[in-house]
Amino acid sequence: MALVSAHQSPLFGSVADVAERLAGVGYLASTAVATTVYLADRLGKPLLVEGPAGVGKTELAKAVAECTGSGLVRLQCYEGIDEARALYEWNHAKQLLRITAGQGKESWDDTRDDVFSEEFLLARPLLTAIRRSEPTVLLIDEMDKADVEVEGLLLEVLSDFQVTVPEMGTITATRRPFALLTSNSTRELSEALKRRCLFLHLDFPDADLERRIVASRVPELAENLVDALVRTVRVLRGLELRKSPSVAETIDWGRTLLALGLDTLDDDAVRATLGVVLKHQSDTVKAAAELRLN
């Protein structure tokens, strides 16, 4: 397993450095998270982060970019995404204009060499990240939403950090991006893709860590309200809901209570603000019954 090339300085100096710098931008990382981020950086390997929605997978990539001063290039995956949206495509309208303008004035070979040049290439997120010479975090978000065929497009990028454009040749990264893939585990990713990555599973934080997260993001919130919020959210996550509250929604709930000037999370406060953390009526009804709200 090759280490980051000698001419490329790592982003982090140690596991402790990762934890400290992530905390400095508001992301409180466990030892396991800090260790895996450090190894991905030091070994030059992509990092695959799996777990339920709302546990901080995407936020981890954003935090790494922010705390290291790196540019963030994001590929948002969705059903039907293809090579033209992920890697690159040609500006066909501009090519057609160029071909029309050159008719009768130059040979086809000259025209062809011109229209398949840099001027007509539209770089998409993967190619953009590969070509950047500045420190870069490449976020491939919700990989499990893309079709299986898209994983094949990623293998060259994640193995060798290069992209092959048939008309122009192979474009290799001069500085490898810190690549982070996220998955909500709605489908199993291929073994070929997983082999190229380090793996990290993120789950909802324990009560103590979530209290610290909320307190750091909403420092004006009283400690008793932070405790009440976290206890209530953990009860909600224990129900079979269509969508469990995310950590971000716990933070939003804290900010809501602060904005309303509430100093206690009583039944009236929960009833009035439950829509901040629950986004389906069936979930609201189930939660109201569990929390015995009238």
Side-chain angles (χ1 to χ4, degrees), residues 163-190:
V163 171
T164 298
V165 181
E167 299 84 354
M168 296 177 63
T170 299
I171 301 170
T172 303
T174 56
R175 181 183 181 95
R176 288 188 171 202
F178 182 99
L180 190 150
L181 299 78
T182 75
S183 168
N184 295 334
S185 304
T186 58
R187 71 170 177 86
E188 189 72 19
L189 301 180
S190 71

Side-chain angles (χ1 to χ4, degrees), residues 61-84:
K62 293 179 179 179
V64 170
E66 184 178 355
C67 77
T68 60
S70 301
L72 179 67
V73 177
R74 180 174 183 172
L75 172 63
Q76 179 64 53
C77 296
Y78 53 87
E79 185 177 353
I81 191 172
D82 58 11
E83 182 177 10

